[in-house]
Amino acid sequence: MRHLPMRVPRVIGRRALGALTTALLTTGGLAVSAQAVPAAAPDPAPASSGHEQLALTPPMGFNNWNSTHCRDEFNESMVKGIADLFVERGLKDAGYEYVNLDDCWALPERDADGRLVPDPKRFPNGIEAVADYVHSKGLKFGIYTSAGTKTCSSIGFPGALGHEYSDARQFADWGVDYLKYDNCNNQGVDAKQRYTTMRDALAATGRPIVYSICEWGENKPWEWAGDLGQLWRTTGDINDSWGSMSSIMKSNLELAEYARPGGWNDPDMLEVGNGGMTDTEYRTHFSMWSIMAAPLLIGTDLRTAPESAFEILTNDEVIAVDQDPLGKQGEVVSSEGGRWVVSKELADGSRAVALFNEGSRAQRIETTAKAVGLPKSRGYTMRDLWKHSDTNTTGRIAATVPAHGTVLVRVHADRKWAQYPPAVDVHAGGDTVTEAGRTVRITSEATDLGGTAAHSVSVALTGPDGWRVTPRSATSARALKPGATLATDWDVVVPAGTSTGDRILTLTARHRTHSGSWLTSTAPFTVRVGVPLPAGESALSDADPLSATNGWGPVERDQSVGERGAGDGNPITIGGTTFAKGLGVHASSSVEYYLGGTCGKVTAQVGVDDESGDKGTVAFEVWADETRAASTGTLTNADPARAVSADVSGADIVRLVVTDAGDGSGYDHADWADLRVTCT
Ligand code: GLA
């Protein structure tokens, strides 16, 4: 298939199949045998055996799916290896408990008695032996099937629809402690009915089995699944990319009110360690899953995972936020300009507060103890859960957060606050857009946010190699009183010949604590270096962008986005017309070019690329600095190329944005065809 969507093609197959079989059923053309439709429960479900006691905090463990899908390395030795590492590497002590199998553990056919058969290549000793091994380590064991006639894999393993009671019995006999129950090939049978039948079947086994409802948020499970299981997926599948993780996070954040002990919103399993995101992004992933009280199911092969993944996954102070016994999901306090503040009430009366920067450049994020729900107090203790250090504040909670980063703190209104050194917030302002060879003036500020004085305060600013940074005023103060600021001017020379792009400078402030140690706060500061565009009219795709973000693979020059790799696109084609020049992008996308105030007009022919089949829906926007200079509204494959012309006179930067038009970014291959700029 030429037009890969954001999601794996397997999804297209099964959704299409689901729709087809539903249609056949409703038109009387029965696509499945009558037995495939769920049988009525054989007898009423007995009172559940401890169901109410399960998952009083969000389940923690491992599931192979995100790292292996159905590849061969998903097998007995992997599962045992993970259980071993849980014990050896301290994950069990950190709270990770369940070792779970996902799809593809079975043979495609049941045996003559209708029983599920483990794949003998993957699990030569059967499933029970693996469960026994996991149990022997003091861990618990989970398995997977679908509330449909087949599972989700395109190979199609047997699903439990119509076999709920016998399959549940088989799982219980194997020693299963956790069932993930998926949604594929569901024959259009009502979701609540399908998930209720399995709930009753699990209860009938008498074995306590955590029940994970995986219908991707299609039927608002947060409204009903709490009566059935302990967790319910709220979205489609995650993948190991910033776009996927952050959009799932935002959907799940809206559902805070539904989470409670024994019933959790599930934004899908962790990708930490799989390599598609930076460590900053993985720390955001882990921080935000924890503040959302999400299940923490490790989705990386720990046998080969980098050390940084272990460091993130075993941060016990972050895990404690997730596992807090009060069982509340963090709530959004504010989210302007990609600066998110999320606050989670904790059992000891403190609040976990996440300052999450969704933007692609560092931003300062600030809130207050009052805004995050803390009671009035003269001072607060604020613990940074990644730096593992305590400070005091009189109520301001602020940090400059790197692009895609999260600062996670735990704030108490306690009487001990004055024992800790004050929090010192550093940030800088000034010229951010410039050209090679120029000098920019930056002003930094280090402010004591605490109720006690900060002693021996000093600031430093460092640029990339070859950059000259000179302070033009004092860089130190013997002491800063509460609320006082040390302001410093800096001249920064951007070396001649520096290429287009963002460069990060680091501002550091340090001050001495009572015990004589030093406390450091840092703030990234972005300087955007542009190279002037040629005079006259030129193709923007011939220039280097200042920045580029894309929803699927990289932005491509003079070709469509194609697949996920670089340079794997096709000729840019909209409505049958081919264009030699332009940019191929995929929603959600943003590409910036430096104009330096010397250009007048940007023009393009825009539309959904023909390679997306007939499913793409996008909208184009052209921004001149902070002004929206042109926009198209929603365009689909049915639309021919649309001419766009934007007045960018005087602007330093033009930003070309493609949104998903509000319906998710699958199939959203979009083109800025014949993209041209006129400059003097
Ligand atoms: C669905 C689920 C995934 C995974 C796969 C297995 O897509 O949502 O989490 O279990 O099926 O095929």
Side-chain angles (χ1 to χ4, degrees):
M1 179 173 309
R2 215 172 54 129
H3 41 271
L4 249 197
M6 277 284 289
R7 298 194 183 107
V8 286
R10 187 178 50 74
V11 178
I12 315 163
R14 74 169 193 242
R15 296 263 153 83
L17 178 67
L20 179 68
T21 45
T22 309
L24 285 169
L25 278 170
T26 49
T27 54
L30 260 190
V32 289
S33 65
Q35 292 93 312
V37 175
D43 31 55
S48 72
S49 45
H51 164 266
E52 303 78 10
Q53 290 309 307
L54 290 172
L56 292 179
T57 63
M60 292 175 64
F62 168 85
N63 173 299
N64 65 286
W65 181 255
N66 286 350
S67 68
T68 66
H69 284 208
C70 294
R71 288 189 303 275
D72 289 347
E73 69 253 33
F74 168 46
N75 57 29
E76 177 180 312
S77 80
M78 175 193 202
V79 179
K80 286 178 159 180
I82 299 293
D84 293 344
L85 285 169
F86 264 24
V87 175
E88 288 160 19
R89 296 297 313 266
L91 291 140
K92 180 184 172 194
D93 289 342
Y96 294 96
E97 183 177 25
Y98 292 94
V99 178
N100 296 348
L101 313 186
D102 209 279
D103 202 353
C104 307
W105 59 266
L107 283 181
E109 300 301 331
R110 293 171 181 272
D111 71 11
D113 302 325
R115 290 170 60 84
L116 297 160
V117 187
D119 180 339
K121 265 175 63 200
R122 294 184 198 269
F123 297 101
N125 300 299
I127 297 296
E128 191 171 359
V130 187
D132 287 348
Y133 187 85
V134 170
H135 288 145
S136 76
K137 302 263 161 179
L139 299 165
K140 292 189 168 142
F141 178 74
I143 208 161
Y144 162 100
T145 188
S146 180
T149 47
K150 285 188 181 306
T151 65
C152 293
S153 152
S154 54
I155 303 164
F157 300 99
L161 190 60
H163 298 266
E164 290 87 350
Y165 281 80
S166 55
D167 287 355
R169 184 73 260 160
Q170 202 174 348
F171 296 150
D173 290 346
W174 282 342
V176 163
D177 307 299
Y178 183 116
L179 173 67
K180 172 175 170 182
Y181 201 36
D182 214 334
N183 195 31
C184 290
N185 304 300
N186 60 47
Q187 312 305 331
V189 180
D190 175 68
K192 205 167 164 183
Q193 182 187 329
R194 286 180 291 120
Y195 286 93
T196 303
T197 308
M198 182 55 91
R199 188 272 314 259
D200 294 343
L202 291 173
T205 68
R207 186 178 173 87
I209 297 177
V210 169
Y211 183 28
S212 154
I213 291 168
C214 178
E215 58 77 89
W216 319 311
E218 282 190 346
N219 305 279
K220 298 194 176 165
W222 42 90
E223 288 177 356
W224 49 267
D227 296 338
L228 306 180
Q230 289 74 43
L231 60 160
W232 49 86
R233 277 274 296 277
T234 55
T235 69
D237 288 6
I238 196 169
N239 66 53
D240 186 19
S241 70
W242 172 256
S244 164
M245 186 276 286
S246 57
S247 79
I248 283 178
M249 175 209 299
K250 288 188 277 179
S251 310
N252 197 69
L253 276 170
E254 290 171 17
L255 301 169
E257 67 187 278
Y258 299 99
R260 52 172 173 69
W264 309 102
N265 290 313
D266 175 7
D268 209 356
M269 302 172 292
L270 299 169
E271 293 283 4
V272 176
N274 284 334
M277 289 181 249
T278 64
D279 285 345
T280 298
E281 292 170 339
Y282 282 141
R283 273 191 291 272
T284 286
H285 183 14
F286 198 63
S287 300
M288 295 306 291
W289 259 236
S290 293
I291 207 160
M292 294 192 299
L296 298 179
L297 290 162
I298 296 170
T300 194
D301 186 345
L302 293 168
R303 297 170 307 168
T304 52
E307 214 34 51
S308 57
F310 285 92
E311 277 160 31
I312 293 169
L313 294 166
T314 59
N315 183 329
D316 52 3
E317 296 197 73
V318 179
I319 292 173
V321 170
D322 181 79
Q323 295 290 302
D324 186 79
L326 192 61
K328 292 219 172 168
Q329 175 171 332
E331 290 179 9
V332 176
V333 176
S334 54
S335 63
E336 261 163 57
R339 297 181 300 274
W340 293 75
V341 176
V342 180
S343 166
K344 182 183 201 273
E345 187 183 352
L346 302 172
D348 64 0
S350 68
R351 297 272 172 162
V353 181
L355 308 177
F356 156 53
N357 178 8
E358 189 189 354
S360 46
R361 286 195 300 283
Q363 298 200 75
R364 185 158 180 281
I365 306 180
E366 172 155 22
T367 186
T368 63
K370 186 173 177 206
V372 303
L374 281 160
K376 216 171 147 99
S377 170
R378 277 186 57 215
Y380 301 83
T381 305
M382 178 158 73
R383 183 158 178 86
D384 186 309
L385 304 186
W386 288 105
K387 281 163 73 179
H388 306 294
S389 61
D390 293 297
T391 53
N392 83 69
T393 171
T394 52
R396 290 171 71 187
I397 301 167
T400 299
V401 185
H404 295 182
T406 298
V407 167
L408 188 65
V409 293
R410 184 167 180 157
V411 188
H412 298 254
D414 59 10
R415 276 196 224 101
K416 288 187 304 198
W417 61 270
Q419 294 174 14
Y420 300 105
V424 169
D425 167 46
V426 278
H427 62 278
D431 298 335
T432 54
V433 186
T434 188
E435 289 175 19
R438 288 194 183 163
T439 301
V440 291
R441 174 58 67 94
I442 291 167
T443 303
S444 68
E445 287 185 0
T447 303
D448 181 347
L449 303 184
T452 56
H455 298 284
S456 306
V457 183
S458 63
V459 292
L461 181 65
T462 51
D465 280 352
W467 287 46
R468 217 172 61 234
V469 178
T470 316
R472 294 295 177 204
S473 57
T475 58
S476 62
R478 190 169 314 148
L480 284 182
K481 290 198 189 113
T485 295
L486 166 65
T488 309
D489 290 332
W490 308 82
D491 281 343
V492 176
V493 183
V494 182
T498 304
S499 60
T500 296
D502 288 355
R503 300 297 191 295
I504 312 273
L505 284 67
T506 304
L507 181 64
T508 308
R510 59 176 211 158
H511 64 289
R512 218 185 47 226
T513 69
H514 305 303
S515 63
S517 61
W518 294 92
L519 202 76
T520 305
S521 7
T522 58
F525 182 77
T526 311
V527 173
R528 322 202 68 199
V529 183
V531 172
L533 292 165
E537 196 182 274
S538 63
L540 264 179
S541 57
D542 291 339
D544 290 330
L546 255 185
S547 73
T549 61
N550 212 36
W552 172 255
V555 170
E556 301 282 6
R557 295 184 191 210
D558 304 332
Q559 55 182 280
S560 66
V561 82
E563 306 285 339
R564 220 171 173 180
D568 61 359
N570 299 293
I572 290 175
T573 312
I574 305 170
T577 307
T578 300
F579 299 84
K581 303 290 292 176
L583 297 179
V585 304
H586 191 296
S588 302
S589 169
S590 167
V591 186
E592 293 177 307
Y593 289 93
Y594 175 70
L595 306 178
T598 62
C599 306
K601 204 167 65 169
V602 168
T603 57
Q605 304 283 326
V606 302
V608 178
D609 193 279
D610 287 5
E611 72 184 4
S612 68
D614 59 0
K615 300 195 185 76
T617 48
V618 297
F620 293 78
E621 297 170 3
V622 181
W623 290 76
D625 291 336
E626 296 317 310
T627 308
R628 192 163 72 184
S631 61
T632 61
T634 303
L635 296 179
T636 73
N637 282 92
D639 295 302
R642 171 85 54 93
V644 167
S645 176
D647 178 1
V648 297
S649 6
D652 269 331
I653 290 173
V654 64
R655 188 161 75 246
L656 307 169
V657 174
V658 175
T659 72
D660 66 4
D663 65 349
S665 58
Y667 306 94
D668 284 351
H669 297 228
D671 299 320
W672 296 92
D674 203 19
L675 175 64
R676 309 188 75 78
V677 64
T678 313
C679 307
T680 53

